[in-house]
Amino acid sequence: MIVVGITGASGVIYGIRLLEALKELNIENALVISDAAKIVIESETKYNIDDVIAIADKYYDFNDLTASINSGSFKADGLAIVPCSMKTLSSIANGYGANTITRVADVSLKERRPTVIVPRETPLRSIHLQNMLALSQEGAIILPAMPGFYSEHDTVEDQINFIVGKILDSLKIENDLYKRWE
């Protein structure tokens, strides 16, 4: 089971494509969407919220701190927060588990599970970098949404698949979403 958190930063399409890729690979997933992400999904993509939720195997409410995924006894294989807003990143870095996404991240880090954070902000302030460093030092993988152009991306979809492929790689999930360096 891979838990996917989608927060209110630009780039929600990365999280949606990750859910699609997990489904294509027959990997069970659980989804949490922040309130702000719901607004961004509607404004940045062709998807509506129900479409995105329908891709997931399980869906948990953003404000449900009693959700089973918030417990260390819930057996998740990893977590990806994609995109990850600076607000969410700051909350996780500072141990502030005020919602389902930040609580799941807290659990994932304390249980030493693969935790992939895909920050979406530019330019970055020093505090953003410090928060990313703090999370990296705790074992999180910081994977900015920066496509590599050595794969000869022809389309925006190719660039999205490159980032999603790198997320899957970080979660130790075999995939062929992008052309690898030869």
Side-chain angles (χ1 to χ4, degrees):
M1 160 85 59
I2 300 296
V3 179
V4 176
I6 300 177
T7 71
S10 184
V12 291
I13 193 65
Y14 294 115
I16 295 167
R17 180 65 185 110
L18 176 60
L19 287 169
E20 292 170 341
L22 290 168
K23 186 171 253 353
E24 291 163 9
L25 295 166
N26 294 315
I27 296 173
E28 188 179 14
N29 64 77
L31 172 65
V32 184
I33 305 173
S34 76
D35 294 336
K38 291 176 182 177
I39 295 167
V40 178
I41 287 169
E42 297 283 347
S43 67
E44 280 191 357
T45 75
K46 64 181 179 177
Y47 296 88
N48 66 48
I49 302 309
D50 291 335
D51 294 335
V52 177
I53 292 170
I55 300 168
D57 294 312
K58 295 182 180 169
Y59 176 72
Y60 295 90
D61 185 82
F62 177 61
N63 293 303
D64 184 4
L65 291 177
T66 66
S68 59
I69 59 173
N70 289 334
S71 171
S73 65
F74 183 87
K75 288 298 190 184
D77 298 310
L79 166 67
I81 302 176
V82 53
C84 186
S85 68
M86 290 301 117
K87 176 183 177 183
T88 299
L89 190 136
S90 175
S91 294
I92 298 165
N94 290 285
Y96 185 61
N99 58 58
T100 308
I101 292 174
T102 55
R103 176 63 187 148
V104 167
D106 188 55
V107 167
S108 188
L109 289 167
K110 79 180 184 69
E111 298 292 332
R112 305 290 192 252
R113 296 178 182 147
T115 304
V116 180
I117 307 290
V118 182
R120 258 296 302 127
E121 184 66 60
T122 193
L124 297 167
R125 293 177 45 214
S126 295
I127 194 67
H128 298 154
L129 296 168
Q130 289 169 355
N131 286 334
M132 287 182 217
L133 176 61
L135 288 174
S136 177
Q137 290 171 332
E138 283 199 64
I141 298 162
I142 307 299
L143 198 152
M146 298 177 186
F149 293 96
Y150 56 83
S151 295
E152 300 173 9
H153 301 300
D154 294 326
T155 66
V156 171
E157 288 78 19
D158 291 339
Q159 293 176 357
I160 292 166
N161 281 334
F162 176 83
I163 296 301
V164 172
K166 297 297 275 184
I167 294 167
L168 292 170
D169 287 350
S170 294
L171 292 168
K172 308 289 189 252
I173 297 172
E174 290 293 323
N175 71 90
D176 60 359
L177 288 180
Y178 65 99
K179 180 181 173 188
R180 296 178 186 279
W181 184 260
E182 295 177 10

